[in-house]
CSV table of all heavy atoms in Angstrom, one decimal:
chain,number,residue,atom,x,y,z
K,1,LYS,N,114.2,147.7,126.1
K,1,LYS,CA,114.2,148.8,127.1
K,1,LYS,C,114.8,150.0,126.4
K,1,LYS,O,115.8,149.9,125.6
K,1,LYS,CB,115.1,148.4,128.3
K,1,LYS,CG,115.1,149.5,129.4
K,1,LYS,CD,115.9,149.0,130.6
K,1,LYS,CE,115.9,150.1,131.6
K,1,LYS,NZ,116.7,149.8,132.7
K,2,VAL,N,114.3,151.2,126.6
K,2,VAL,CA,114.7,152.4,126.0
K,2,VAL,C,115.2,153.3,127.1
K,2,VAL,O,114.4,153.6,128.1
K,2,VAL,CB,113.6,153.1,125.2
K,2,VAL,CG1,114.1,154.4,124.6
K,2,VAL,CG2,113.2,152.2,124.1
K,3,ASN,N,116.4,153.8,127.0
K,3,ASN,CA,116.9,154.7,128.0
K,3,ASN,C,117.0,156.1,127.4
K,3,ASN,O,117.5,156.3,126.3
K,3,ASN,CB,118.3,154.3,128.5
K,3,ASN,CG,118.3,152.9,129.1
K,3,ASN,OD1,117.5,152.6,130.0
K,3,ASN,ND2,119.2,152.0,128.7
K,4,LYS,N,116.6,157.1,128.2
K,4,LYS,CA,116.7,158.5,127.8
K,4,LYS,C,118.1,159.0,128.0
K,4,LYS,O,118.8,158.6,128.9
K,4,LYS,CB,115.8,159.4,128.6
K,4,LYS,CG,114.3,159.1,128.4
K,4,LYS,CD,113.5,160.0,129.3
K,4,LYS,CE,112.0,159.6,129.3
K,4,LYS,NZ,111.2,160.5,130.2
K,5,ILE,N,118.6,159.8,127.0
K,5,ILE,CA,119.9,160.5,127.2
K,5,ILE,C,119.6,161.9,127.4
K,5,ILE,O,119.1,162.6,126.5
K,5,ILE,CB,120.8,160.2,125.9
K,5,ILE,CG1,121.0,158.7,125.7
K,5,ILE,CG2,122.1,161.0,126.1
K,5,ILE,CD1,121.8,158.4,124.5
K,6,ILE,N,120.0,162.4,128.6
K,6,ILE,CA,119.7,163.8,129.0
K,6,ILE,C,121.0,164.6,128.7
K,6,ILE,O,122.1,164.2,129.0
K,6,ILE,CB,119.4,163.9,130.5
K,6,ILE,CG1,118.3,162.9,130.9
K,6,ILE,CG2,119.1,165.3,130.9
K,6,ILE,CD1,117.0,163.3,130.2
K,7,GLY,N,120.8,165.7,128.0
K,7,GLY,CA,121.9,166.5,127.6
K,7,GLY,C,122.4,167.4,128.8
K,7,GLY,O,121.9,167.4,129.9
K,8,GLU,N,123.4,168.3,128.5
K,8,GLU,CA,123.9,169.2,129.5
K,8,GLU,C,122.9,170.2,130.0
K,8,GLU,O,123.0,170.7,131.1
K,8,GLU,CB,125.2,169.9,128.9
K,8,GLU,CG,126.3,168.9,128.7
K,8,GLU,CD,127.5,169.7,128.1
K,8,GLU,OE1,127.5,170.9,128.0
K,8,GLU,OE2,128.4,168.9,127.6
K,9,SER,N,122.0,170.5,129.1
K,9,SER,CA,120.9,171.5,129.5
K,9,SER,C,119.8,170.9,130.4
K,9,SER,O,118.9,171.6,130.8
K,9,SER,CB,120.3,172.1,128.2
K,9,SER,OG,119.7,171.1,127.5
K,10,GLY,N,119.9,169.6,130.6
K,10,GLY,CA,118.9,168.9,131.4
K,10,GLY,C,117.7,168.5,130.6
K,10,GLY,O,116.7,168.0,131.2
K,11,VAL,N,117.7,168.6,129.3
K,11,VAL,CA,116.6,168.2,128.5
K,11,VAL,C,116.9,166.9,127.7
K,11,VAL,O,118.1,166.7,127.4
K,11,VAL,CB,116.3,169.4,127.4
K,11,VAL,CG1,115.2,169.0,126.5
K,11,VAL,CG2,116.0,170.7,128.1
K,12,GLU,N,115.9,166.1,127.5
K,12,GLU,CA,116.2,164.9,126.8
K,12,GLU,C,116.6,165.2,125.4
K,12,GLU,O,115.9,165.9,124.7
K,12,GLU,CB,114.9,164.0,126.8
K,12,GLU,CG,115.0,162.7,126.0
K,12,GLU,CD,113.7,161.9,125.9
K,12,GLU,OE1,112.8,162.2,126.7
K,12,GLU,OE2,113.6,161.1,125.1
K,13,GLU,N,117.7,164.7,125.0
K,13,GLU,CA,118.3,165.0,123.7
K,13,GLU,C,118.2,163.8,122.7
K,13,GLU,O,118.1,163.9,121.5
K,13,GLU,CB,119.7,165.5,123.8
K,13,GLU,CG,119.8,166.9,124.4
K,13,GLU,CD,121.2,167.4,124.4
K,13,GLU,OE1,122.1,166.6,124.0
K,13,GLU,OE2,121.4,168.5,124.9
K,14,ASP,N,118.3,162.6,123.3
K,14,ASP,CA,118.3,161.4,122.5
K,14,ASP,C,117.8,160.2,123.3
K,14,ASP,O,117.5,160.4,124.5
K,14,ASP,CB,119.7,161.2,122.0
K,14,ASP,CG,119.8,160.3,120.7
K,14,ASP,OD1,118.7,159.9,120.2
K,14,ASP,OD2,120.9,160.1,120.2
K,15,PHE,N,117.9,159.0,122.7
K,15,PHE,CA,117.5,157.8,123.5
K,15,PHE,C,118.4,156.7,123.0
K,15,PHE,O,118.9,156.8,121.9
K,15,PHE,CB,116.0,157.5,123.3
K,15,PHE,CG,115.6,157.2,121.9
K,15,PHE,CD1,115.6,155.9,121.5
K,15,PHE,CD2,115.2,158.2,121.1
K,15,PHE,CE1,115.2,155.6,120.2
K,15,PHE,CE2,114.8,157.9,119.8
K,15,PHE,CZ,114.8,156.6,119.3
K,16,GLU,N,118.5,155.7,123.8
K,16,GLU,CA,119.3,154.5,123.5
K,16,GLU,C,118.5,153.3,123.7
K,16,GLU,O,117.8,153.1,124.7
K,16,GLU,CB,120.5,154.5,124.4
K,16,GLU,CG,121.4,153.3,124.2
K,16,GLU,CD,122.6,153.3,125.2
K,16,GLU,OE1,122.3,153.1,126.4
K,16,GLU,OE2,123.7,153.4,124.8
K,17,VAL,N,118.5,152.4,122.7
K,17,VAL,CA,117.7,151.1,122.8
K,17,VAL,C,118.7,150.1,123.2
K,17,VAL,O,119.7,149.8,122.6
K,17,VAL,CB,117.1,150.8,121.4
K,17,VAL,CG1,116.4,149.4,121.5
K,17,VAL,CG2,116.2,151.9,120.9
K,18,SER,N,118.3,149.4,124.3
K,18,SER,CA,119.1,148.3,124.9
K,18,SER,C,119.1,147.1,124.0
K,18,SER,O,118.0,146.7,123.5
K,18,SER,CB,118.6,148.0,126.3
K,18,SER,OG,119.3,146.9,126.8
K,19,GLY,N,120.3,146.5,123.8
K,19,GLY,CA,120.3,145.3,123.0
K,19,GLY,C,120.3,144.0,123.8
K,19,GLY,O,120.3,142.9,123.3
K,20,ASP,N,120.2,144.2,125.2
K,20,ASP,CA,120.2,143.1,126.1
K,20,ASP,C,118.7,142.5,126.2
K,20,ASP,O,117.8,143.2,126.6
K,20,ASP,CB,120.6,143.5,127.5
K,20,ASP,CG,120.7,142.4,128.4
K,20,ASP,OD1,120.5,141.2,128.0
K,20,ASP,OD2,121.0,142.6,129.6
K,21,LEU,N,118.5,141.3,125.7
K,21,LEU,CA,117.2,140.7,125.8
K,21,LEU,C,116.7,140.5,127.2
K,21,LEU,O,115.5,140.5,127.4
K,21,LEU,CB,117.2,139.4,125.0
K,21,LEU,CG,117.4,139.4,123.5
K,21,LEU,CD1,117.5,138.0,122.9
K,21,LEU,CD2,116.3,140.2,122.8
K,22,GLY,N,117.6,140.4,128.1
K,22,GLY,CA,117.2,140.3,129.5
K,22,GLY,C,116.5,141.5,130.1
K,22,GLY,O,115.8,141.5,131.1
K,23,GLU,N,116.8,142.7,129.5
K,23,GLU,CA,116.2,143.9,129.9
K,23,GLU,C,114.9,144.3,129.2
K,23,GLU,O,114.3,145.3,129.5
K,23,GLU,CB,117.2,145.1,129.7
K,23,GLU,CG,118.4,145.1,130.5
K,23,GLU,CD,119.3,146.3,130.3
K,23,GLU,OE1,119.1,147.0,129.3
K,23,GLU,OE2,120.2,146.4,131.1
K,24,ALA,N,114.5,143.4,128.3
K,24,ALA,CA,113.2,143.7,127.6
K,24,ALA,C,112.0,143.7,128.6
K,24,ALA,O,112.0,143.1,129.6
K,24,ALA,CB,113.0,142.6,126.5
K,25,VAL,N,111.1,144.6,128.3
K,25,VAL,CA,110.0,144.8,129.2
K,25,VAL,C,108.7,144.4,128.4
K,25,VAL,O,108.5,144.5,127.2
K,25,VAL,CB,109.9,146.3,129.6
K,25,VAL,CG1,111.0,146.6,130.5
K,25,VAL,CG2,109.8,147.2,128.5
K,26,GLY,N,107.7,144.0,129.2
K,26,GLY,CA,106.4,143.6,128.7
K,26,GLY,C,105.5,144.8,128.4
K,26,GLY,O,105.8,145.9,128.8
K,27,ILE,N,104.5,144.5,127.6
K,27,ILE,CA,103.6,145.6,127.2
K,27,ILE,C,102.5,145.6,128.3
K,27,ILE,O,101.9,144.5,128.5
K,27,ILE,CB,103.0,145.3,125.8
K,27,ILE,CG1,104.1,145.3,124.8
K,27,ILE,CG2,101.9,146.3,125.5
K,27,ILE,CD1,103.6,144.9,123.4
K,28,GLY,N,102.2,146.7,128.8
K,28,GLY,CA,101.1,146.8,129.8
K,28,GLY,C,99.7,146.6,129.1
K,28,GLY,O,99.3,147.5,128.4
K,29,CYS,N,99.1,145.4,129.3
K,29,CYS,CA,97.8,145.2,128.7
K,29,CYS,C,96.8,144.7,129.7
K,29,CYS,O,95.8,144.0,129.3
K,29,CYS,CB,98.0,144.2,127.5
K,29,CYS,SG,98.7,142.7,128.0
K,30,SER,N,96.9,145.1,130.9
K,30,SER,CA,95.9,144.7,131.9
K,30,SER,C,94.6,145.3,131.7
K,30,SER,O,93.6,144.8,132.2
K,30,SER,CB,96.5,145.0,133.3
K,30,SER,OG,96.6,146.4,133.5
K,31,LYS,N,94.5,146.4,131.0
K,31,LYS,CA,93.2,147.1,130.8
K,31,LYS,C,92.6,146.9,129.4
K,31,LYS,O,91.7,147.5,129.0
K,31,LYS,CB,93.4,148.6,131.1
K,31,LYS,CG,93.8,148.9,132.5
K,31,LYS,CD,93.8,150.4,132.8
K,31,LYS,CE,94.3,150.7,134.1
K,31,LYS,NZ,93.2,150.9,135.1
K,32,VAL,N,93.3,146.0,128.7
K,32,VAL,CA,92.8,145.7,127.3
K,32,VAL,C,91.4,144.9,127.4
K,32,VAL,O,91.4,143.9,128.1
K,32,VAL,CB,93.8,144.9,126.5
K,32,VAL,CG1,93.2,144.4,125.2
K,32,VAL,CG2,95.1,145.7,126.3
K,33,PRO,N,90.4,145.4,126.7
K,33,PRO,CA,89.1,144.7,126.8
K,33,PRO,C,89.0,143.5,125.9
K,33,PRO,O,89.8,143.4,125.0
K,33,PRO,CB,88.1,145.8,126.4
K,33,PRO,CG,88.9,146.6,125.5
K,33,PRO,CD,90.3,146.6,126.0
K,34,LEU,N,88.0,142.7,126.1
K,34,LEU,CA,87.7,141.6,125.2
K,34,LEU,C,86.4,142.1,124.4
K,34,LEU,O,85.6,142.8,125.0
K,34,LEU,CB,87.4,140.3,125.9
K,34,LEU,CG,88.6,139.6,126.5
K,34,LEU,CD1,88.2,138.3,127.2
K,34,LEU,CD2,89.7,139.3,125.4
K,35,PHE,N,86.2,141.6,123.2
K,35,PHE,CA,85.1,142.0,122.4
K,35,PHE,C,84.1,140.9,122.3
K,35,PHE,O,84.5,139.8,121.9
K,35,PHE,CB,85.6,142.5,121.0
K,35,PHE,CG,86.4,143.8,121.1
K,35,PHE,CD1,87.7,143.8,121.4
K,35,PHE,CD2,85.8,145.0,120.8
K,35,PHE,CE1,88.4,144.9,121.5
K,35,PHE,CE2,86.5,146.2,120.9
K,35,PHE,CZ,87.8,146.1,121.2
K,36,ILE,N,82.9,141.2,122.5
K,36,ILE,CA,81.8,140.1,122.5
K,36,ILE,C,80.8,140.6,121.5
K,36,ILE,O,80.3,141.7,121.5
K,36,ILE,CB,81.2,140.0,123.8
K,36,ILE,CG1,82.3,139.7,124.8
K,36,ILE,CG2,80.1,138.9,123.8
K,36,ILE,CD1,82.1,138.7,125.9
K,37,THR,N,80.4,139.7,120.6
K,37,THR,CA,79.3,140.0,119.6
K,37,THR,C,78.0,139.5,120.1
K,37,THR,O,77.8,138.4,120.5
K,37,THR,CB,79.7,139.3,118.3
K,37,THR,OG1,80.9,139.8,117.8
K,37,THR,CG2,78.6,139.6,117.2
K,38,VAL,N,77.0,140.4,120.0
K,38,VAL,CA,75.6,140.0,120.3
K,38,VAL,C,74.8,140.4,119.1
K,38,VAL,O,74.9,141.5,118.6
K,38,VAL,CB,75.1,140.8,121.6
K,38,VAL,CG1,73.7,140.5,121.9
K,38,VAL,CG2,76.0,140.6,122.8
K,39,VAL,N,73.9,139.5,118.7
K,39,VAL,CA,73.0,139.8,117.5
K,39,VAL,C,71.6,139.7,118.0
K,39,VAL,O,71.2,139.0,119.0
K,39,VAL,CB,73.3,138.8,116.3
K,39,VAL,CG1,74.7,139.0,115.8
K,39,VAL,CG2,73.0,137.4,116.7
K,40,LYS,N,70.8,140.3,117.2
K,40,LYS,CA,69.3,140.3,117.4
K,40,LYS,C,68.7,139.5,116.3
K,40,LYS,O,68.8,139.8,115.2
K,40,LYS,CB,68.8,141.8,117.4
K,40,LYS,CG,67.3,141.9,117.7
K,40,LYS,CD,66.9,143.3,117.7
K,40,LYS,CE,65.4,143.5,117.9
K,40,LYS,NZ,65.0,144.9,117.9
K,41,ILE,N,68.0,138.4,116.8
K,41,ILE,CA,67.2,137.6,115.9
K,41,ILE,C,65.8,137.6,116.4
K,41,ILE,O,65.5,137.1,117.4
K,41,ILE,CB,67.8,136.1,115.9
K,41,ILE,CG1,69.2,136.1,115.4
K,41,ILE,CG2,66.9,135.2,114.9
K,41,ILE,CD1,69.9,134.8,115.5
């Protein structure tokens, strides 16, 4: 998990990577296609 660090000006200045494995997030891959091969004989 990555947390944004917002500075005094209200703009993102840095980020912090969480070391807690329980906070890890999955990769959104619900729209990933499968590839199928079709040949002409």
Side-chain angles (χ1 to χ4, degrees):
K1 182 178 178 184
V2 176
N3 300 312
K4 296 178 185 178
I5 298 175
I6 307 297
E8 293 177 12
S9 62
V11 179
E12 179 184 342
E13 292 183 356
D14 204 356
F15 63 91
E16 176 183 66
V17 178
S18 174
D20 184 4
L21 293 174
E23 291 183 351
V25 294
I27 298 173
C29 58
S30 62
K31 297 188 185 262
V32 173
L34 291 179
F35 292 82
I36 307 218
T37 301
V38 179
V39 295
K40 182 177 177 181
I41 301 174

